[in-house]
Amino acid sequence: MLKKSSLYFFLLLIISSCKLTSKPSNPVLEQGDGYVEVEGGKIWYGIMGNGNKPPLLCLHGGPGGTGKRFYNLSEISKERPVIFFDQLGSGRSDHHQDTTLLKVENFVEQVKALKTALNLNEFYLVGSSWGTALGLEYYLAYPEGVKGIIFNSPYFSTSIWTEDAAKLVANLPDSIQTAIHIAERDSLFNTDSYNAANTFFASKHGRRKEPVKHPFDTVPSNGNTFIYNYMWGPSEFTATGTLRNYDNVKSLQKVKVPTLFTTGEFDEARPETVKMLSEMVDDSQFVVIPDAGHSTLNDNREAVVKAIQEFLESQKEN
């Protein structure tokens, strides 16, 4: 039988162990919006829903896009907070054309600043297109608190992306292919024929349906084409910017949290490719969103929401 002093010491060890292993809960987030100071200015963020369930922290595409597409996750905000923001330079954040700020690591620090400002202890990262590259970079730099990741229409490598684009372009009408070939050969991307080719490609593999505006989307929030062109290029299938040699795909093997990969049936991020990428993560799920291009939240919102909800339901949340 243990002596009283020994029993007391034993109980102290148990209590200390519990304190060390238990994770602090998130603060109760309230629906609303605000701004956070980052290098170069302020970023705007919005929160849908409330409560202390691990929230979704959403990273938009582009670069130079906005977070307003994530209004389409409002149904999920009935269960947990959904946080999204406009990366510096676009949307309701401070705009700029300072190219020294347009580095991947700066965007990562913006995510970190928002996470810190909201005192998040546990959360899910949700990235879309360029936002998936940003999500992976953030996880590699700051894995603490990331409970899981959702990669929607993912981009991790420019060479993989442009190879997929070339396969899709090869199935377009000859006149479209010719316009693209001439523009790329001559580095002339402001012609009517190239713009028409870009529009046609987008109608097949970008946003396939008319834009659906969410009732919450009431404040003007414009993207920044300067950032898109500087970092990416003149179109989804032509990369000429600072990301033209970007490749971080092998880092997927370092992801050690549950991960969901989704992509549209007709997406620029081709299902065959995304399935291959998903197989690089040990604990991953893969879902194709039917009848959707790259803008899955516009083309088939219900299927995206369902995939995310089922993924979240499969996670153990205390």
Side-chain angles (χ1 to χ4, degrees), residues 48 71-79 214 301 305 309:
M48 295 188 298
Y71 282 127
N72 287 314
L73 298 181
S74 58
E75 190 171 348
I76 294 176
S77 72
K78 298 173 184 176
E79 308 160 3
H214 194 280
R301 180 191 62 80
V305 169
Q309 286 177 324

Side-chain angles (χ1 to χ4, degrees), residues 150-255:
I150 298 167
F151 290 133
N152 179 40
S153 302
Y155 155 75
F156 306 113
S157 163
T158 300
S159 62
I160 290 176
W161 187 272
T162 53
E163 285 170 13
D164 270 358
K167 291 175 182 177
L168 296 175
V169 167
N171 291 318
L172 300 182
D174 289 345
S175 59
I176 301 294
Q177 294 187 52
T178 299
I180 293 171
H181 171 72
I182 291 174
E184 292 182 343
R185 181 196 66 193
D186 300 336
S187 295
L188 290 175
F189 304 111
N190 59 351
T191 63
D192 290 342
S193 58
Y194 184 79
N195 290 333
N198 190 11
T199 300
F200 187 84
F201 180 89
S203 71
K204 298 295 182 183
H205 304 292
R207 192 191 70 232
R208 290 173 58 87
K209 299 179 182 178
E210 288 298 312
V212 179
K213 190 169 183 179
H214 194 280
F216 290 178
D217 184 10
T218 58
V219 178
S221 179
N222 299 318
N224 190 324
T225 56
F226 170 80
I227 293 177
Y228 179 83
N229 281 285
Y230 179 80
M231 294 186 68
W232 179 254
S235 71
E236 292 292 275
F237 44 81
T238 304
T240 58
T242 57
L243 292 172
R244 61 186 176 275
N245 296 317
Y246 182 81
D247 190 332
N248 197 29
V249 70
K250 290 183 179 179
S251 292
L252 285 171
Q253 298 171 351
K254 300 177 182 179
V255 175

Side-chain angles (χ1 to χ4, degrees), residues 101-172:
L101 297 172
L102 300 179
K103 298 174 182 176
V104 174
E105 54 266 31
N106 286 39
F107 288 93
V108 170
E109 291 306 315
Q110 291 171 35
V111 182
K112 178 64 162 55
L114 180 57
K115 182 259 186 187
T116 301
L118 296 178
N119 296 311
L120 301 181
N121 296 310
E122 272 197 332
F123 57 97
Y124 294 92
L125 279 173
V126 181
S128 183
S129 193
W130 144 254
T132 63
L134 178 55
L136 179 58
E137 292 275 4
Y138 176 86
Y139 171 78
L140 295 172
Y142 303 108
E144 303 81 12
V146 178
K147 190 171 178 63
I149 307 175
I150 298 167
F151 290 133
N152 179 40
S153 302
Y155 155 75
F156 306 113
S157 163
T158 300
S159 62
I160 290 176
W161 187 272
T162 53
E163 285 170 13
D164 270 358
K167 291 175 182 177
L168 296 175
V169 167
N171 291 318
L172 300 182

Side-chain angles (χ1 to χ4, degrees), residues 26-27 29-33 36 44-51 53-60 67 70-71 73 76-77 80-86 111 114-115 117-126:
N26 283 319
L29 297 171
E30 297 295 336
Q31 183 161 299
D33 66 350
V36 173
W44 173 88
Y45 70 88
I47 302 174
M48 295 188 298
N50 51 46
K53 251 189 162 180
L56 304 184
L57 178 54
C58 304
L59 314 177
H60 66 69
F70 294 117
Y71 282 127
L73 298 181
I76 294 176
S77 72
R80 70 185 68 237
V82 176
I83 306 164
F84 51 95
F85 74 102
D86 294 333
V111 182
L114 180 57
K115 182 259 186 187
L118 296 178
N119 296 311
L120 301 181
N121 296 310
E122 272 197 332
F123 57 97
Y124 294 92
L125 279 173
V126 181

